[in-house]
Amino acid sequence: KQEVTQIPAALSVPEGENLVLNCSFTDSAIYNLQWFRQDPGKGLTSLLLIQSSQREQTSGRLNASLDKSSGRSTLYIAASQPGDSATYLCAAPKVSSGSARQLTFGSGTQLTVLP
Amino acid sequence: GAVVSQHPSWVICKSGTSVKIECRSLDFQATTMFWYRQFPKQSLMLMATSNEGSKATYEQGVEKDKFLINHASLTLSTLTVTSAHPEDSSFYICSASPLIAGGPQQFFGPGTRLTVL
């Protein structure tokens, strides 16, 4: 059974700081790992998807890395802005299902970027 | 980009009544849709996998007779919470996987907030 853990649970930083969010997963036989953003009371916005054969993906100020052997992924946010304030979720497929689309989510990191 | 809608966005109902939530893929066809539930301050938990034209597959601990799922077309899946109780109050989110893409791609709806009084 796949278990996904995220630390820290909450993070508050001043605007402009670079920051790292951590995600760990128990079963390293994953097809991919995804990072999502969730604003309060809203659905999910996909940020980055890293395939199992990749080590990192970049989109704008976001960079996600994947280390399958250690069961870890990090989301790096450069030059944080107040608009980045949200909950960030990582998700890995339920390996036992054989499907890359049935996801197990971490509990999220609630990020607050102070102006 | 691919868009998934949910209706209603929020609903309040009395205990004992049934509530239907719709999930639609607006600009693509989806053979598979997924239903998740999110309690306050918690993460999303997969409830069931809905396949067009066949019975849904429920996760362990999810009552199939309470959470009825119908995936009658390639663009619509419905979740009906039957005989709702206050403990069913939650944020329900669906996602849809495109017919063609195959792999891990899926797109999430905006969610439905259910409050059972």
Side-chain angles (χ1 to χ4, degrees):
Chain A
K1 177 184 175 184
Q2 180 72 275
E3 294 183 5
V4 180
T5 305
Q6 290 185 248
I7 55 172
L11 181 64
S12 182
V13 300
E15 182 176 5
E17 271 202 11
N18 302 324
L19 56 99
V20 175
L21 307 181
N22 297 291
C23 173
S24 61
F25 46 93
T26 55
D27 195 326
S28 61
I30 57 173
Y31 298 108
N32 57 68
L33 186 134
Q34 298 184 62
W35 284 91
F36 296 88
R37 167 181 174 145
Q38 185 176 31
D39 291 287
K42 304 291 185 181
L44 303 183
T45 300
S46 179
L47 298 174
L48 290 164
L49 183 153
I50 311 174
Q51 300 287 0
S52 61
S53 58
Q54 299 174 320
R55 293 193 64 84
E56 65 178 86
Q57 277 285 342
T58 298
S59 176
R61 293 183 293 108
L62 305 180
N63 176 276
S65 67
L66 175 63
D67 184 344
K68 286 180 56 178
S69 61
S70 66
R72 294 180 182 178
S73 177
T74 61
L75 179 65
Y76 176 84
I77 302 177
S80 58
Q81 303 171 358
D84 294 332
S85 298
T87 296
Y88 291 81
L89 299 165
C90 70
K94 283 181 55 185
V95 179
S96 62
S97 72
S99 168
R101 296 169 295 172
Q102 292 177 317
L103 300 178
T104 298
F105 283 84
S107 54
T109 294
Q110 185 174 350
L111 173 65
T112 302
V113 181
L114 304 171
Chain B
V3 179
V4 176
S5 70
Q6 285 185 238
H7 178 80
S9 55
W10 60 269
V11 57
I12 301 173
C13 69
K14 293 183 178 181
S15 184
T17 61
S18 294
V19 174
K20 180 185 286 188
I21 302 171
E22 293 184 348
C23 176
R24 292 182 185 272
S25 55
L26 298 185
D27 49 4
F28 66 97
Q29 292 183 321
T31 52
T32 305
M33 291 184 175
F34 303 91
W35 287 96
Y36 293 86
R37 179 169 55 185
Q38 185 178 33
F39 291 108
K41 303 294 184 181
Q42 297 186 27
S43 193
L44 282 76
M45 297 294 291
L46 179 65
M47 298 176 64
T49 301
S50 170
N51 296 297
E52 187 267 336
S54 64
K55 291 183 178 180
T57 303
Y58 291 81
E59 295 302 301
Q60 190 173 10
V62 178
E63 301 175 57
K64 63 180 182 180
D65 294 330
K66 181 170 183 62
F67 298 99
L68 301 179
I69 292 174
N70 184 278
H71 193 157
S73 76
L74 288 173
T75 60
L76 173 64
S77 176
T78 60
L79 169 68
T80 301
V81 183
T82 62
S83 186
H85 291 283
E87 57 265 30
D88 298 324
S89 298
S90 186
F91 193 54
Y92 292 86
I93 301 178
C94 72
S95 69
S97 187
L99 175 63
I100 297 176
Q105 276 280 52
Q106 59 182 292
F107 302 94
F108 285 80
T112 296
R113 173 79 57 194
L114 170 64
T115 302
V116 184
L117 303 177

